[in-house]
Structures are given as structure tokens and as C-alpha cells.
Amino acid sequence: CQDDQDCQHVFSEQIRTKCDNGLCIQCIDYCELCDNSTNCLQCKPGFHIHDSGICYLNCPPGEDNLAQLECGEICGDGVQPENYTNASNLAYCDDGNKVNGDGCSSNCIIEPGFTCFGGSTNSSDKCYLLLTLMIYPDLYQNNTLVMAFNKPVNITAEELQSLVSISLSQTDPSVYNYTIQKKDSQTFQIVFDTSQILPPQDFSLSFSSLEKVKDFEGITLMQPDYTVPVPMMFPKSQDEDLSLLEMVSTIGKGVIG
């Protein structure tokens, strides 16, 4: 070639081809305009000039180049690629940092006991502690079970009682009644009133609906059914007699001592 004009139809994929020392210069892959065979000035559509003048594939929001033609998620940038699934198929999140213990791990995996949502191509995930419930016998009150949520819940005792069904594995429901009482924002008590002595047995509780059992962040309880062993229960009058007997016994020990 004598000049650039002689090269314009040599490489059809290039918008302009230079003549250099009598040779028409072919650009590197995915480049349509270059000043020499190794340095691109303008890439083809869908590509961009990366470091050292090479054309790399354009990546969607939230992803970056892993190689010239490969994109990958950027963990910790607060942007979640659309329809992204990680290679390990674990629950993915991106809350804008790489800190463990806040619900979204340093590897952008949802941590056990948390739920994360809200992430998109223009917003980061918000992570919240899952709402859980433990039920166990009250150590200080007979005929009483404790319902302990792991954080405050936005529900009244009356609402809670209307949502649960309760049963004892060895006792007909006609023998006992129960009420649910609120102790504080995350603790409730189930108090039984029975007409006869009840043996140790399994206690079961089921929620008819979980939609109203939420914390103040709107996180809903996930587990609907619970079963725990309970100790012997006594009629109220006998329960009071036992408490009085224990009190007298304690006072007597103090006097003797």
C-alpha cells in the first residue's frame, strides 16, 4: 500500500485501516480502529478498550470482566446482576460490603439465620435476622409455658391466641383451658387451668396463619408447628396448696437454721 486509502477494503470489519511501511494494518480481535496491530483506538459495539488497548466484552451492571470474553459478579459493590445465580447455587446477596456477620457474608452468600432481599441492578440487598420462636416450661410457674421470640414482635396476646391451636398428647381438651398472656415485647406465657392432675406429656402448638406473626421490620415467622415435652400439671387449688407448702417449708428451714 502507498497510503491508508489503499487499505480501506482489505479488512471489512474495520471502519478504517492504516497503511504502515507498505503494509495494511490488521487490528486485534474485536477492534474496528487501531493505530497499530496491538493498540486499539475503538472497539466494536458491545466491547470496550481495557487496559493495554485490548477490547473486552461489555459486562452488565454489577459484573466485571474476569477475562476478555467472560464477565463475573462484583461481590460487595451493592449491585446485583439481573437473574444472577452463583456457581455454587447458594443463596446470593450483595449488601454493599464484604463484612461477615451482617447477614450477607464476605463471599456474598446469605448467612444462616438471616434473610436478604431488595437487591437489584441499581440497589443493594437489605438483610434481616429471621424471626424464630422457642417454647419451653416456665421454671418458676407451674402449669405455664414460655413462648420466647428472638426479637420483639408486632402482635398482641389476643391476636396470638386467635392464631394458634394447642393440644396435649395424652389429655382430652375438655379437661383443661389455657390463656396466652404477654410478658414483654418478645415473650408470652401460655397458662393452663386444669380440673385434674395431668401427667408429663408432649405439648403441640400450630399456627393457622403466619402472616400476622411478624417483627417490627415485617419479617414473618417461618415455622408453623412446635412440639415440646411438658412436666406434670396440677389443678389450680392444688397448685396453690403446693406453692404454700413450699413456702412454709422454706420458712421452716430458715427458722431451724
Side-chain angles (χ1 to χ4, degrees), residues 20-195:
D20 186 22
N21 293 324
L23 297 174
C24 295
I25 302 300
Q26 183 176 14
C27 298
I28 54 178
D29 291 342
Y30 314 109
C31 178
E32 60 183 16
L33 178 62
C34 59
D35 57 5
N36 58 54
S37 59
T38 60
N39 186 57
C40 186
L41 300 176
Q42 181 177 320
C43 298
K44 293 180 178 181
F47 290 80
H48 64 278
I49 298 176
H50 199 263
D51 297 337
S52 70
I54 299 174
C55 292
Y56 273 55
L57 181 69
N58 289 341
C59 295
E63 295 188 27
D64 199 2
N65 291 106
L66 301 179
Q68 185 179 14
L69 301 177
E70 182 182 1
C71 296
E73 213 287 317
I74 309 170
C75 177
D77 67 345
V79 177
Q80 188 169 150
E82 192 171 356
N83 301 320
Y84 177 74
T85 301
N86 57 28
S88 57
N89 207 30
L90 297 173
Y92 180 79
C93 58
D94 196 326
D95 60 353
N97 65 63
K98 300 183 76 172
V99 177
N100 289 318
D102 63 355
C104 185
S105 73
S106 60
N107 295 322
C108 290
I109 302 299
I110 298 178
E111 297 176 303
F114 286 85
T115 181
C116 301
F117 51 84
S120 69
T121 55
N122 54 22
S123 64
S124 60
D125 278 299
K126 303 296 182 185
C127 297
Y128 302 91
L129 188 66
L130 290 172
L131 181 61
T132 60
L133 170 64
M134 290 183 61
I135 302 177
Y136 53 87
D138 194 314
L139 297 178
Y140 304 101
Q141 290 182 255
N142 293 325
N143 298 7
T144 303
L145 298 178
V146 177
M147 297 178 67
F149 292 93
N150 64 330
K151 49 183 174 175
V153 288
N154 188 18
I155 192 170
T156 66
E158 293 75 16
E159 290 172 327
L160 192 57
Q161 183 150 348
S162 71
L163 293 173
V164 302
S165 60
I166 285 174
S167 63
L168 295 172
S169 61
Q170 300 179 35
T171 305
D172 189 275
S174 62
V175 176
Y176 61 87
N177 293 311
Y178 66 88
T179 58
I180 296 181
Q181 302 170 4
K182 189 169 186 175
K183 191 173 182 181
D184 56 45
S185 62
Q186 62 188 82
T187 311
F188 296 78
Q189 291 177 317
I190 305 172
V191 182
F192 283 86
D193 182 12
T194 175
S195 59

